[in-house]
Amino acid sequence: MAFSASLSSPLHFHNPNPRFSPKPTKPATVRPPTTTKPLYAIPPSVTTDVDSATIAAIGGGSVAALAAALSLADPERRRKLQAEEVGGGDKEVVKDYFNKSGFERWKKIYGETDDVNRVQRDIRLGHSKTVENVMKMLTDEGPLQGVTVCDAGCGTGCLAIPLAKEGALVTATDISAAMVAEAEKQAREQLDLGKEGISLPKFEVSDLESLEGKYDTVVCLDVLIHYPQSKADGMIAHLASLAENRLLLSFAPKTFYYDILKRIGEFFPGPSKATRAYLHSEADVERALEKVGWRIRKRGLTTTQFYFSRLIEAVPA
């Protein structure tokens, strides 16, 4: 479920950055009726169900009016029912989703098939930018031959496989058994295992809380979107405890603009939207790292039309 993209010492990509503005006050004169052109807002869809990236058409009202309308939606009720169906909370819903319909959807996005829509193709582009920038961030420090790396939330192997091609000793984990099986299949097909210095990653089914061991580097891409900040703090601390030299994290950034668009997306949910999508402020992530004696050394942002992700590299302070 690594989805999720982000970067190297600050790399910035184009962001269309639409704006919401209240309508100006009209003078008290009689005028012929006019037609207001709708403003189209694209909610962020990093690591969430692609169908949730629904385009909301909003006629030129203010953000305050929009917020009032959003209060009519009840996404939590949908999620509660979904959690009851699988017999658990957020983690069980995520696990169930990525083993079933979510697996097929994200397998297509992370793959090379042409059977994707415009939104899915754009998210694929954003995710690939993240992987490229993570690889650059890692290789800038020197060769990866023999370096131990944990890819926590490996998805279908989009990062684990390039790491292995560089000679890294990779442990790749995911909460979804279907994702892990696909990642191992792709690795066996893409890696030249007869080449000296190239070895098959060690694939494991595991959630973040259960990860063990020590690694030179730990990478966790676009997985924090499934954790509220209260739990994300613990996850960040746990991942840092596994890393000896570097920790790379990417997450959906929490800003006023992205938060409003996320709420719009929940007001117009796709039929298969199943998991919560939590945004995180960079300041909160930085504070969580500082609590366990780490500091941010590099940071950046990857954005496409439908994909927004902040990437940070942390090292021991």
Side-chain angles (χ1 to χ4, degrees), residues 21-236:
S21 300
K23 296 172 67 176
T25 302
K26 295 181 179 180
T29 57
V30 178
R31 295 183 178 182
T34 58
T35 301
T36 302
K37 185 177 179 180
L39 172 66
Y40 293 95
I42 313 300
S45 54
V46 182
T47 67
T48 60
D49 182 2
V50 175
D51 289 343
S52 71
T54 306
I55 299 178
I58 304 162
S62 68
V63 172
L66 173 63
L70 292 177
S71 66
L72 299 175
D74 191 7
E76 288 304 312
R77 182 174 181 275
R78 294 194 308 272
R79 291 168 182 144
K80 181 179 179 181
L81 292 174
Q82 290 161 341
E84 290 174 352
E85 289 177 2
V86 299
D90 275 4
K91 184 166 70 174
E92 288 73 19
V93 171
V94 169
K95 182 178 180 180
D96 183 72
Y97 171 70
F98 282 101
N99 272 320
K100 295 179 181 177
S101 62
F103 166 68
E104 294 299 331
R105 183 167 289 105
W106 288 96
K107 177 184 174 182
K108 287 199 306 181
I109 293 173
Y110 293 155
E112 297 180 352
T113 176
D114 292 329
D115 184 26
V116 289
N117 60 37
R118 183 172 65 91
V119 175
Q120 293 169 330
R121 191 179 302 277
D122 183 83
I123 295 172
R124 176 190 290 175
L125 173 62
H127 182 250
S128 68
K129 284 183 177 181
T130 293
V131 172
E132 289 174 7
N133 284 291
V134 167
M135 291 300 299
K136 182 179 186 302
M137 187 179 288
L138 293 175
T139 55
D140 277 350
E141 299 298 315
L144 294 178
Q145 186 69 48
V147 175
T148 56
V149 181
C150 178
D151 180 7
C154 66
T156 58
C158 298
L159 176 64
I161 294 171
L163 286 170
K165 287 181 178 179
E166 291 293 323
L169 303 177
V170 182
T171 297
T173 73
D174 201 285
I175 195 172
S176 165
M179 287 285 191
V180 170
E182 178 64 21
E184 183 168 359
K185 174 178 176 291
Q186 292 295 329
R188 291 186 181 279
E189 292 176 356
Q190 297 182 37
L191 293 175
D192 184 359
L193 297 177
K195 185 177 179 180
E196 184 179 357
I198 304 298
S199 60
L200 184 72
K202 179 182 178 182
F203 292 99
E204 298 179 352
V205 179
S206 175
D207 56 45
L208 295 189
E209 298 95 324
S210 304
L211 289 178
E212 298 178 344
K214 281 289 185 181
Y215 308 89
D216 178 88
T217 300
V218 174
V219 184
C220 185
L221 301 184
D222 295 346
V223 178
L224 291 180
I225 196 167
H226 301 300
Y227 293 87
Q229 190 61 49
S230 58
K231 292 186 177 180
D233 287 354
M235 292 303 98
I236 291 170

